[in-house]
Amino acid sequence: MLTSFGAIEEKVKSLPRRTVVVPAAANTCILEAALEAHKRGLADFILIDSRNRLIETLKELGRDESALEPFRVVEEDDCRKAARLGVSLVREGKAELIGKGRLQTSELMKAILDKQDGLREESSLLCDIMVIEQPLVEEPKLICMSDPALCVAPTVEDLVKVTRNCLPMMGKLGYARPRVAYLAALEVVKEAMPATVLAAEAAKKINEMVESLDAEGPLSFDIACSKRAAEVKGRETPVAGKADLLIVPNLETGNVLAKTIAVFTKAEYGHLILGAKVPVVMSSRSDSSLSKFNSILLGLFCA
């Protein structure tokens, strides 16, 4: 089982070299991450943006124009056009991943979800997975969470689809039988708290559909992730205190939890959009260059 982003990087080094296209690439953090990934021999990059804007961004990093030499630069300053161009390059087989630069998430998602020229798989549900190298639990591990970015108010069926989207990545990380926790505020079902109802129904359904996992819900975050909390509160189950994949009940919960981890802990993390024809690196524009590098790693790992 892989327990760190360092271990993921070693795996990526053994894989065929991929190309990442980045629309609106003139962003300091994504450029720094791209420079680092190329320096380590992990990937090639196509940068879509104004060359002058890219040069100015490099200057902010203390680099000069020569830093662009390893990259293919496609001139397009308009963010929406850049997003569509990036998707086209993936469809043409010139890139295996697409990443997000300085453009809005909605601008890139609109291009990806375009019914005629986009990257969405038929009948698929796109979701974001956050992979966290978690130093706060009792043992080193990579713990995954979905969906903190796309699914606003998922139904039971949506929660099941999100879970199934995540399972191939869990398998690649070495989780032969992942432990899935559907999060809520309580461990009992209360009609007055819809998240508990959703969690219980989703856990029941996924357990019936997929044999090679253990799912439980509702579970509170502490009981799902902390063996000590599970013991103190008397919860002894295959998932309690040992969850590998956390499924949140709605976007607000996931977004707040993800940003709390990002701001208040020292955990390394990365994000990846699953459910499209290729992995989509969709970090927040405020994420650090390290988290963007980790997100690129995840994309290369899953490509």
Side-chain angles (χ1 to χ4, degrees):
M1 187 173 72
L2 304 182
T3 60
S4 68
F5 281 100
I8 292 177
E9 182 176 349
E10 291 305 309
K11 282 286 186 181
V12 170
K13 287 178 179 177
S14 68
L15 299 174
R17 190 166 171 131
R18 306 293 190 180
T19 297
V20 185
V21 60
V22 185
N27 167 277
T28 53
C29 289
I30 194 66
L31 266 185
E32 190 172 15
L35 288 165
E36 187 63 26
H38 187 275
K39 176 184 175 183
R40 299 190 192 188
L42 301 175
D44 296 313
F45 288 84
I46 302 172
L47 308 180
I48 304 176
D49 215 320
S50 157
R51 177 176 285 271
N52 288 337
R53 191 189 286 269
L54 287 167
I55 292 170
E56 289 302 313
T57 306
L58 284 169
K59 287 180 180 177
E60 295 178 36
L61 294 171
R63 309 290 291 270
D64 60 28
E65 185 176 354
S66 64
L68 286 179
E69 290 178 3
F71 304 132
R72 175 185 169 190
V73 176
V74 177
E75 287 269 1
E76 180 52 73
D77 190 57
D78 182 273
C79 287
R80 293 181 183 180
K81 292 179 181 178
R84 291 196 295 269
L85 183 53
V87 168
S88 295
L89 289 171
V90 171
R91 288 176 63 88
E92 293 167 8
K94 296 177 181 177
E96 290 79 27
L97 290 85
I98 187 166
K100 178 185 157 204
R102 60 182 172 85
L103 73 175
Q104 298 278 352
T105 296
S106 59
E107 292 173 322
L108 183 53
M109 289 304 299
K110 186 175 181 179
I112 290 170
L113 295 174
D114 186 273
K115 291 183 179 180
Q116 182 174 344
D117 299 317
L119 299 174
R120 185 172 185 171
E121 295 281 15
E122 188 175 352
S123 74
S124 69
L125 176 71
L126 269 63
C127 67
D128 175 83
I129 185 169
M130 182 181 187
V131 180
I132 308 148
E133 186 176 324
Q134 186 53 273
L136 303 179
V137 294
E138 287 84 351
E139 59 188 30
K141 67 184 296 185
L142 290 168
I143 190 166
C144 302
M145 178 176 67
S146 193
D147 173 350
L150 293 182
C151 298
V152 177
T155 63
V156 170
E157 289 73 21
D158 291 338
L159 292 178
V160 170
K161 285 183 179 180
V162 165
T163 307
R164 299 195 73 161
N165 274 357
C166 296
L167 292 180
M169 174 182 277
M170 301 301 295
K172 284 177 176 286
L173 291 173
Y175 291 104
R177 189 178 184 87
R179 294 163 290 205
V180 183
Y182 290 90
L183 298 183
L186 300 175
E187 294 72 55
V188 295
V189 176
K190 286 186 175 291
E191 295 294 332
M193 301 178 71
T196 64
V197 178
L198 280 174
E201 293 180 0
K204 181 176 183 295
K205 183 165 285 191
I206 197 72
N207 277 322
E208 292 172 349
M209 295 174 67
V210 182
E211 291 184 1
S212 57
L213 58 71
D214 292 301
E216 186 177 353
L219 282 179
S220 61
F221 179 80
D222 59 339
I223 289 181
C225 297
S226 168
K227 290 180 181 179
R228 178 184 177 279
E231 290 170 0
V232 168
K233 295 185 178 182
R235 190 82 172 192
E236 297 183 11
T237 68
V239 179
K242 303 180 288 289
D244 308 310
L245 173 61
L246 309 174
I247 304 296
V248 299
N250 51 49
L251 187 143
E252 286 88 352
T253 302
N255 188 270
V256 170
L257 181 53
K259 289 180 178 176
T260 299
I261 291 169
V263 173
F264 286 122
T265 79
K266 295 182 179 180
E268 285 194 36
Y269 64 91
H271 286 268
L272 199 64
I273 301 294
L274 304 175
K277 293 180 180 179
V278 298
V280 181
V281 177
M282 191 78 83
S283 301
S284 168
R285 286 172 295 162
S286 65
D287 278 342
S288 68
S289 57
L290 176 59
S291 68
K292 290 181 189 289
F293 175 79
N294 288 338
S295 298
I296 292 170
L297 269 183
L298 290 174
L300 296 170
F301 182 62
C302 292

